[in-house]
């Protein structure tokens, strides 16, 4: 971000294009960052679920890389349009580096840090929790007392297959 933003500004001004924008927290309308934080939290949860599904649950065969990259890009664009309150950055560093680039220093509003750091990280942790409940595994090295849902479905389908073979 600290390299890319100035570089894109140079390219845009040289070619006469619209200047690049970035995620912006508005301390006037949302001083504590609650609405912006919820927007960032929700978009991060949905982004992480999309990444888990596209990378670990779906298999597109020979073209997996190209399809997952395209689906991820479309998903991010959708989230930016759906949750516009904070940008969204959907990346803690991006919101802060944009602020530094635009204003020449670190943000002074606590709402900025709540929105782009606390809410984003909490959203990623919550999405990880949901995925561990679905697929199994550990969260911070600990096995959860609930789940995995995926294994239960697979076991039920396997027992149905065995039952249908026995009947034949």
């Amino acid at each position: 971000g600290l390299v890319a933003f100035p570089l894109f500004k140079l390219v845009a001004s040289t070619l006469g294009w619209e200047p690049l924008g970035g995620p912006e927290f508005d301390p006037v309308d949302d001083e504590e960052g609650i609405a912006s934080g919820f927007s960032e939290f929700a978009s991060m949860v949905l982004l992480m679920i999309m990444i888990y599904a596209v990378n670990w649950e779906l298999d597109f065969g020979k073209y997996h890389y190209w399809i997952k990259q395209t689906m991820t890009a479309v998903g991010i664009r959708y989230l930016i349009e759906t949750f516009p309150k904070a940008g969204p950055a959907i990346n803690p560093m991006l919101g802060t580096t944009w602020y530094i680039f635009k204003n020449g220093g670190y943000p002074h509003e606590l709402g900025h840090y709540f929105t782009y750091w606390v809410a984003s990280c909490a959203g990623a942790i919550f999405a990880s929790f949901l995925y561990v409940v679905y697929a199994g595994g550990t969260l911070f090295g600990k096995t959860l007392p609930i789940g995995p849902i995926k294994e239960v479905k697979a076991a039920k389908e396997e027992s149905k297959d065995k039952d249908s073979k026995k009947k034949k």
Side-chain angles (χ1 to χ4, degrees):
L2 291 176
V3 173
F5 290 138
L7 181 64
F8 287 128
K9 181 180 180 182
L10 175 68
V11 170
S13 62
T14 302
L15 299 173
W17 294 348
E18 181 82 22
L20 180 67
E24 294 192 39
F25 168 74
D26 181 6
V28 175
D29 293 335
D30 188 16
E31 189 173 319
E32 299 84 19
I34 301 300
S36 299
F38 176 76
S39 180
E40 197 69 14
F41 175 86
S43 60
M44 181 61 83
V45 169
L46 293 173
L47 174 64
M48 297 303 295
I49 288 171
M50 178 183 59
I51 288 171
Y52 296 148
V54 169
N55 287 283
W56 297 339
E57 298 300 323
L58 303 175
D59 183 10
F60 301 109
K62 180 179 170 182
Y63 300 104
H64 182 78
Y65 175 80
W66 299 106
I67 293 171
K68 79 171 183 147
Q69 291 297 95
T70 303
M71 289 179 72
T72 302
V74 169
I76 289 171
R77 179 35 102 199
Y78 174 77
L79 292 173
I80 289 170
E81 295 297 327
T82 305
F83 297 98
K85 186 72 178 165
I90 321 176
N91 175 339
M93 184 226 36
L94 186 61
T96 302
T97 56
W98 174 255
Y99 186 96
I100 292 167
F101 169 71
K102 186 176 179 199
N103 299 302
Y106 286 96
H108 301 289
E109 300 86 12
L110 289 178
H112 172 93
Y113 295 102
F114 175 78
T115 297
Y116 293 117
W117 289 91
V118 175
S120 288
C121 292
I125 292 167
F126 182 67
S128 298
F129 167 81
L130 293 176
Y131 188 76
V132 169
V133 168
Y134 169 72
T138 61
L139 183 67
F140 297 115
K142 303 288 182 190
T143 303
L144 299 180
I146 55 175
I149 295 168
K150 180 180 176 183
E151 216 172 75
V152 171
K153 284 183 181 178
K156 284 182 182 178
E157 288 174 14
E158 197 174 288
S159 69
K160 284 182 185 177
D161 289 342
K162 286 180 183 178
D163 288 343
S164 64
K165 287 180 183 177
K166 286 180 184 177
K167 289 179 183 177
K168 291 181 181 179

